[in-house]
Amino acid sequence: MKKIDTSTSINGIKLPLCIMNASGALCSTNKELSNLLNSSSGGVVTKSCTYKSRKGNVLPRYFEWDLGSINSMGLPNYGIDFYLNFLEKKTIDKPIFLSISGLSEEENYFLIQKANQSSKVTAIELNLSCPNLIEKENMLGYDFDKISNFIENIFKFNKKPLGIKLPPYFQDIHIKNVASILNQFPIFFITCINSLPNGLFIDTNKESVVIRPKGGFGGIGGAIIKPFALANIHKFYTYLRKDIPIIGCGGISSGKDIFEHILCGASAVQIGTQFMKEGVSIFKRLKKELIFILEKKNYSSLNSFKGKLKNFQ
Ligand code: DHB
């Protein structure tokens, strides 16, 4: 039997396995990050950080049901220095993606400059899509007029591989516009999609919302968002420059889901809600399930089918 290769490369960054955690899921504390470093994930993504440490929104702020999850965390994190100091102390054998989510454009420039100085950060994942901030309702990912100028400023000084985490888009023209902006810059990768913003989950018995912040509204993740993730990945794969890889995120809980993300054009994938449910043992399970599918289909690597989704026939 042929050896099946589930490793991948994000623009030259080698991941021993194409599966990693999504930012936000079990990647905030010393313990969580140590667990991820010791796991068989192909890379580690850190919780989106700000300059100062933040407590985040009031509890309860996360809820999951069989088809998905809703969260309004409000960017709780220990501040960028905590994450950089944590990494400094560790021996690291896989790529580290430092997620940053400054509260203003200026804060993002500062965070990127700091990240540039750390040899332990393989790449920056710049988050343009946090939907849960009480103090800041708009997100840059939906502000088409501002994105271009913002990214242009970043590449005046940035020296590290830098990718962008995008929110989901629901119109073809929006993806075309964002892709044509990103195509003008040396973007290292994109990650799509973040949670679907402003969803509402209801407890019918209690006739109530299930999380406290913002009247119960929050970002939706998990199985229920997979069709939107696949659509965004496939459209970006069509419109982006071919040398900008896509990290797929959204609705993955099985090897079959990973196969579909890659078929749409993803070069690697991230797991959020299902990683919250299962913990670090998920990476081995998903790898096994993915290999099982590739064996059946007689594919020896991701490149055999990446982006090759067929039209209806
Ligand atoms: C949070 C949620 C997100 O979807 C995100 O991208 C960043 C932060 C949060 O609420 O903490």
Side-chain angles (χ1 to χ4, degrees):
M1 200 184 291
K2 266 194 297 189
K3 176 99 179 79
I4 292 176
D5 182 7
T6 53
S7 71
T8 192
S9 163
I10 302 293
N11 227 326
I13 298 175
K14 300 246 180 304
L15 275 67
L17 173 67
C18 62
I19 311 167
M20 58 191 145
N21 68 297
S23 181
L26 305 177
C27 59
S28 298
T29 64
N30 203 312
K31 181 90 188 105
E32 288 168 346
L33 288 164
S34 299
N35 285 344
L36 270 168
L37 284 176
N38 295 330
S39 77
S40 51
S41 76
V44 175
V45 191
T46 59
K47 168 70 185 171
S48 290
C49 67
T50 46
Y51 170 49
K52 284 193 189 145
S53 147
R54 288 170 57 89
K55 283 197 163 62
N57 297 341
V58 288
L59 300 173
R61 56 195 184 185
Y62 180 81
F63 179 89
E64 59 194 28
W65 70 101
D66 53 350
L67 297 178
S69 65
I70 183 166
N71 85 82
S72 183
M73 307 301 288
L75 217 39
N77 77 93
Y78 292 118
I80 188 168
D81 284 340
F82 169 84
Y83 298 97
L84 295 180
N85 291 336
F86 169 86
L87 294 169
E88 212 47 56
K89 288 187 228 125
K90 296 283 172 181
T91 323
I92 291 164
D93 63 356
K94 54 187 163 191
I96 304 292
F97 297 81
L98 184 84
S99 171
I100 69 165
S101 190
L103 301 177
S104 65
E105 285 155 61
E106 289 65 34
E107 185 173 342
N108 278 316
Y109 302 140
F110 178 80
L111 294 169
I112 294 167
Q113 267 165 353
K114 280 215 115 181
N116 264 266
Q117 288 156 23
S118 166
S119 62
K120 298 292 180 87
V121 173
T122 316
I124 297 164
E125 186 181 80
L126 172 61
N127 184 3
L128 298 190
S129 45
C130 173
N132 302 325
L133 297 179
I134 284 160
E135 61 270 53
K136 188 169 172 280
E137 282 295 332
N138 60 328
M139 58 168 106
L140 217 50
Y142 286 149
D143 200 333
F144 302 123
D145 297 334
K146 281 201 187 146
I147 296 178
S148 181
N149 187 256
F150 174 56
I151 297 179
E152 187 178 340
N153 286 338
I154 289 170
F155 284 108
K156 285 179 188 158
F157 66 88
N158 177 59
K159 292 189 174 61
K160 277 247 186 243
L162 183 140
I164 294 190
K165 171 93 168 262
L166 294 167
Y169 299 101
F170 304 96
Q171 292 188 38
D172 183 72
I173 186 75
H174 290 166
I175 300 188
K176 234 185 206 162
N177 287 345
V178 173
S180 78
I181 294 168
L182 299 182
N183 281 340
Q184 296 162 27
F185 300 102
I187 305 277
F188 218 79
F189 63 89
I190 64 161
T191 304
C192 65
I193 56 176
N194 207 318
S195 49
L196 266 70
N198 282 304
L200 196 54
F201 188 84
I202 290 172
D203 180 327
T204 323
N205 282 333
K206 290 189 358 207
E207 303 179 12
S208 154
V209 300
V210 294
I211 54 173
R212 196 186 300 276
K214 297 179 89 172
F217 289 84
I220 307 293
I224 199 166
I225 75 165
K226 188 178 73 170
F228 299 100
L230 295 177
N232 275 255
I233 292 162
H234 197 53
K235 279 192 187 289
F236 273 112
Y237 189 74
T238 307
Y239 295 132
L240 272 184
R241 271 189 357 244
K242 282 291 162 272
D243 62 324
I244 304 180
I246 299 170
I247 302 178
C249 184
I252 294 176
S253 54
S254 69
K256 174 175 163 291
D257 300 324
I258 297 177
F259 183 84
E260 292 174 8
H261 272 237
I262 297 167
L263 198 60
C264 285
S267 294
V269 295
Q270 295 178 347
I271 322 290
T273 299
Q274 193 62 29
F275 173 46
M276 293 284 290
K277 291 187 187 183
E278 268 179 68
V280 290
S281 63
I282 195 173
F283 300 110
K284 280 199 175 125
R285 173 177 76 78
L286 293 178
K287 179 181 178 181
K288 211 163 85 186
E289 291 178 7
L290 179 61
I291 289 177
F292 187 70
I293 294 173
L294 300 201
E295 261 168 8
K296 269 203 309 205
K297 290 180 173 282
N298 219 3
Y299 290 140
S300 59
S301 71
L302 311 191
N303 282 332
S304 325
F305 62 99
K306 187 170 93 184
K308 294 189 177 159
L309 178 68
K310 295 174 192 152
N311 281 333
F312 189 79
Q313 36 188 269

